[in-house]
Amino acid sequence: MIQRMRLQPEAIGSGLTSQRVRDRLVERLREAGIRDERVLNAIRTVPRHLFVDEALAMRAYEDTALPIGHGQTISQPWVVAKMTEALLEDGMPGKVLEIGTGSGYQAAILAALGLEVHTVERIGELLRTARKRFRQLGLNVRSKHDDGRIGWPENGPFDAIIVTAAAPALVDALTDQLAVGGTLIAPVGASSSQSLLKLRKDADGNISQHTLAPVVFVPLLSGMID
Ligand code: SAH
């Protein structure tokens, strides 16, 4: 179920941000091994050019990470697609927690899929901009300005957790907030060698994990800034 978005003329785009350019990105992702049609459809629907600075809008449909200020980046579309696909492959989660809202693009993709999205960001200014985008597109996303390493315990447990910044090791507070049968996707490792991990929690609370792909993410940092 793709959530309906309020698409204003600037969301529909023209030239280098048009639907045709978006469709081409989807074809590239398909060629790069993304198979889940629900995920490809969400990428086709969400206007990524609205999640970057206007000066970068014409590069929004390249399969590349782009700067969003404060030394942070909007993830590469293939990474967003891969993480989202991994999150859905064992059944559709209801409630999802994202750590690292950044531009808001990953959260928008999850919301477009009809999931109940909760997202946490430590940089206030990025979060305020992301909230404007959610509002502009009519997407229902709950968000919090906080250090995401503590998760969002009042709203847990979550059927799925997606971490979009890399930590040297898995964060216990987050695995604790994962529901039984839930899936957690997170990049883990030193800045020079990170792996995208997929974890599952079974009925006894045991965690199993496997590696999806080598990745490069900005670091998961402590504390919050305005
Ligand atoms: N999901 C984002 C990717 C943003 S990059 C997108 O779609 O655009 C990673 C983000 O994680 C950055 O915005 C960074 O500020 C944030 N981050 C890093 N450490 C964090 C922490 N401890 N808690 C919450 N957010 C964090």
Side-chain angles (χ1 to χ4, degrees), residues 176-208:
D176 288 349
Q177 286 166 43
L178 188 62
V180 165
T183 304
L184 183 149
I185 310 288
V188 172
S191 56
S192 52
S193 82
Q194 301 167 2
S195 301
L196 189 60
L197 299 185
K198 175 176 172 179
L199 275 77
R200 300 262 300 148
K201 189 185 270 190
D202 72 15
D204 300 320
N206 296 322
I207 304 271
S208 60

Side-chain angles (χ1 to χ4, degrees), residues 48 51-52 66 68-76 80 83 98-109 119-124 126-127 130 133 144-151 162-166 171 217-225:
R48 188 170 184 259
F51 291 81
V52 295
L66 292 168
I68 56 171
H70 300 269
Q72 306 304 317
T73 53
I74 179 174
S75 306
Q76 180 192 351
V80 172
M83 291 177 92
E98 179 195 30
I99 305 302
T101 317
S103 68
Y105 180 69
Q106 172 75 69
I109 293 288
T119 184
V120 184
E121 171 58 54
R122 65 181 286 275
I123 300 178
L126 290 180
L127 187 59
R133 293 171 177 143
K144 178 169 81 138
H145 181 205
D146 209 341
D147 181 343
R149 294 178 318 155
I150 61 166
I162 181 166
V163 186
T164 67
V171 178
F217 274 85
V218 294
L220 190 73
L221 300 173
S222 59
M224 311 151 62
I225 60 173

Side-chain angles (χ1 to χ4, degrees), residues 62-168:
E62 294 174 16
D63 188 18
T64 174
L66 292 168
I68 56 171
H70 300 269
Q72 306 304 317
T73 53
I74 179 174
S75 306
Q76 180 192 351
W78 182 83
V79 169
V80 172
K82 186 75 186 166
M83 291 177 92
T84 309
E85 192 171 65
L87 218 57
L88 303 186
E89 74 188 346
D90 304 296
M92 205 64 169
K95 203 155 65 159
V96 181
L97 174 67
E98 179 195 30
I99 305 302
T101 317
S103 68
Y105 180 69
Q106 172 75 69
I109 293 288
L110 296 170
L113 282 158
L115 311 184
E116 183 188 319
V117 184
H118 301 249
T119 184
V120 184
E121 171 58 54
R122 65 181 286 275
I123 300 178
E125 198 184 323
L126 290 180
L127 187 59
R128 286 190 291 277
T129 307
R131 280 175 175 156
K132 273 189 216 143
R133 293 171 177 143
F134 300 146
R135 224 172 300 131
Q136 183 187 6
L137 292 169
L139 291 171
N140 184 18
V141 174
R142 289 163 216 210
S143 62
K144 178 169 81 138
H145 181 205
D146 209 341
D147 181 343
R149 294 178 318 155
I150 61 166
W152 199 334
E154 312 84 272
N155 285 353
F158 298 93
D159 305 314
I161 300 180
I162 181 166
V163 186
T164 67

